[in-house]
Amino acid sequence: MTTSTDRPGDTAPPPEEDTAWERWDQPSGRWMLPGNCPDTRERTLVLEAAARLLFPTVLVFSVFLLFEGHYGPGGGFSGGLVAGLAFVLRHIAGGDDDPGSTLRIRPPVVVGTGLTIAVLTGLAPLLWGGAVLSSAKWRISFGDAGYIDVVTSLLLDVGVYLLIIGVVLDLLRSLGSGIARDAREAGEAAPRGSGGGDR
Amino acid sequence: MLAVVAAHLVLALCLPALARYNRRLAFGAGAALLAATLVWAMAQAPAALGAGVTDVVEWAPELGLRLSLRMDALALAMIVLVSGVGALIMVYAAWYFGPRSKDAARSAALLVTFAGMMLGLVLADDLLTLYVFWELTSLTSFLLVGQGGQYRENRRAAVQALLVTVFGGLAMLLGIVLLGGIAGTYSIPELTAAASAGTLAPDQPVALAISLVLILMGALTKSAQLPFHPWLPYAMAAPTPISAYLHAASMVKAGVVLVARLGPAFSVYTVWWVPVVVLGLATMLLGGWRALRQTDLKRLLAFGTVSQLGFLMVLFGAGSRVAALAGIAMLLAHGLFKAPLFMVVGAIDKACGTRDLRELCGLGRRRRGLAVLATLAGLSMAGLPPLLGFVGKEAAYEAFVLEGGTRGWVVAVGLLAGSLLTVAYTARFLWGAFSTKGSQPTGGDPVPLGLSGPAWLCALTGLAAGFAAPLVQDVAGSYARSLPPLGDAYATQYELALWHGLGLPLGFSALALVGGLLLHRYGAPLTSRARIPGVSAQRGYEAVVTGLERFAIGLTGRLQIGSLPVYLGCILATLIVLPGPVLLMTGAMPEHQAPYDSIMQVPVGLMVVIAAVALTRARRRFTAVLLVGAVGYGIGGLFVIDGGPDLALAQFLVETLTLVAFVFVLRRLPAHFDEPDTERRVRAPKAGLAAVGGVFVAGTAVVLSGARLQPPSTTDAFVANAPEAGATNLISAILVDFRALDTIGEITILLICAAGTASLVLATRYDKKKGGAVVSSGSGSPKHEQEVLG
């Protein structure tokens, strides 16, 4: 057993003779798993399992909020916050060293992408001779099956959504991992049950 | 026209990539664009010299802000310099920057940008448009002079140029706004028409005078007039092609262009012409005098530029027809002789490795071509026939001799003295660069055609323009058409020409030539010794800047004392003291104020109140944070009850996130509020202030929300248009459609906050990571402080 397979939740490397079809339902990569956890006593398996279940669900819900925003409560801001909170949950369960997904995107990039999308959405109408930030609406009809309204201002909302997620991730990076790492590098032991000094 | 200006910007964006591929190609592309601009302008010359070609794009019509460009005679003359000379300088730069020069890519892009901004500036027909381009040239020249920022000298020169020109620019903006306010228009032709009709703010002479002086501040700083001149010689730290462009063709001419542009309107006002003419004359004399003491050829030329700019200011500030003719001729002449002179200095620098005239020796013998070229340009500078400089200078003398009177004669004699100095420093330049002074001949590698060719073309144009004086007269005449001819009948017919017959102006020229040569030959002891002790504009600038920095440090030290309670106290006190009395005096409680609308508000409200009161009694940070959260959730609950699910959702989410962020930070803070009980005397005022602040905010909320009886008129429009925006959720429609600009602004602030937080927290970590060694950022260290304080 290598060290990487010591990590809880990680799948053991399949034996060589395994065929592909036997492994189809096994997770192919690590997702949302804590990295090294030096002190196993601090782990709460229930929370980890719950986070693992909730994370994708909450993300889907956040996307729902994003699209729903035009018709009911929700929108890019709320959706982004919900998605951000999903990452917060993951951070709390996974600890400081949660390596994140295999796709490493740095938070400032997410923030910048969001703002870029929002600004470009605002400027795009200029290309068609419209005023800045004006929006258009198309109705795509599916005959009897109904129709979909596509509103360009949704793109602005997507920008907001991404930016908010980025801001929360940045917060986690700086205030969450950053402070803890500083403390470790300064030689301080993390306080037991690192949820504030009150307990 | 706007498209041409934009083309410069677009090309500038592509140039860095092109320069990485091929450096010369990048400069070549720049030169091609500038040359094309010149051709384009020349093609429209007949129309421009007639009624002028205009191009207007509404920018923000509600503010009276529009991009308004107009090509007329003055613009045409400046385009010859900005684009024509600019193209030659681009070619020169292609050979000047070495093949491995890291500066080439940036310089090429910046030069083209700069040319575009300058083009916009000379075409601007509206004071606000002019101001926009004006500041853009300041910024671009800052980047050009500063170069990569590796050398202290470059940085200081760039900062000084920026501070001085932007200081003037801001003063000018004030003046422009003031003038626009009292005149009711920012359009230059309308202002000119109103001024000449005498209807320009006749009842507000003081405001008009103030605005004119403020606008002049911009012109005087930009064109390095006394006492703002030191930045220009210091800007010599930039590479030679850049100096050549800044000095000969563009940046420093901006102030002159402004005076020339507004001169037809304002030169009748004493408050306009007196500072321009007096400071211009003083600058001309001082620049010439200081040039005589320089040993660095480039700085000699720089002080020469200062002197010539003073000359131009006098000509354009005087506001007479002949002076304006002379102004246009000298404007063109200066560009056509100063650019090749700078290029020659750059070539000498490349060939000999020095620009010090004490070290150069025997260059004239070995580089005859260069010597002839420099002499050709230098003769124009000295005002000798048959070059354009002579034509301009003759006209200048003639203008003030014709005008007569005290002003005319004082200025004429002043110009004579200035020209004498010009001849003297021209002689010093030619002697210093090419004569055989010592026994050890210096350097003198062959000069590539790329370096000498553009200079030749420029200098020969100056020669040709002297012979083609009638052509110059066409342009100058079109500009001077609206100006009054001061003096006798001859002043209305005077035209630029090489030969006007024997007369006083020719005598002046001869006198200046002889006097200048004598001064150069025998005046060395005089010029090296005579200086005014204790008075130095540069020291004045440094005193102002260090004084400001000292003041800022002192003030910051008093204000930013690092105590959160004090900061909050100041904010709260201001909040209470300023709007508080107004609320007490005029605020009226709404008449039908019910204790509650829905019974559910009572328990939720109570919860908020209880949590808030408990918060003040909390001893542990964690408890306090939880109670803050309770208050927040309670408010969110109130939103739900009042029927604002969108607000409630956002409130709940933000509250949760805040709680998490607090908990993160709390890990590093002590568990208890360590407020010693001994500080009771501080506690009482704190509690008092907080309580009054709270009551005030609550009172304001009640009074202000009660003051509105009808829904705001905009609401109806929002509701009516929401379906058009494709939204059934009005809040969302407002956020992403009606008020989308606000939303973009808000998320930008979020971005700044996130970046700020990350920088603050992670800064220490990045310091540590530099190769294991601790690298401090430097600010705040004693060394840095010393550097700032000078």
Side-chain angles (χ1 to χ4, degrees), chain B residues 633-682:
Chain B
Y633 283 118
I635 304 252
L638 286 176
F639 285 144
V640 174
I641 296 164
D642 281 343
D646 252 309
L647 278 178
L649 181 62
Q651 172 78 21
F652 282 134
L653 291 169
V654 168
E655 205 55 58
T656 313
L657 194 66
T658 318
L659 211 57
V660 172
F662 265 128
V663 170
F664 282 145
V665 179
L666 279 186
R667 290 183 295 180
R668 303 288 295 148
L669 291 177
H672 291 80
F673 290 109
D674 45 2
E675 193 102 316
D677 285 333
T678 47
E679 288 194 48
R680 275 189 192 286
R681 58 191 177 83
V682 190

Side-chain angles (χ1 to χ4, degrees), chain B residues 199-265:
Chain B
T199 55
L200 185 64
D203 48 340
Q204 290 165 294
V206 180
L208 183 66
I210 294 174
S211 72
L212 292 187
V213 169
L214 285 171
I215 291 177
L216 272 185
M217 285 294 286
L220 295 177
T221 50
K222 194 89 160 184
S223 277
Q225 298 297 293
L226 206 71
F228 306 109
H229 62 278
W231 73 261
L232 195 149
Y234 276 86
M236 288 297 101
T240 303
I242 291 166
S243 307
Y245 196 48
L246 292 184
H247 279 216
S250 52
M251 158 94 167
V252 299
K253 290 268 170 66
V256 177
V257 169
L258 181 74
V259 171
R261 178 68 72 205
L262 299 179

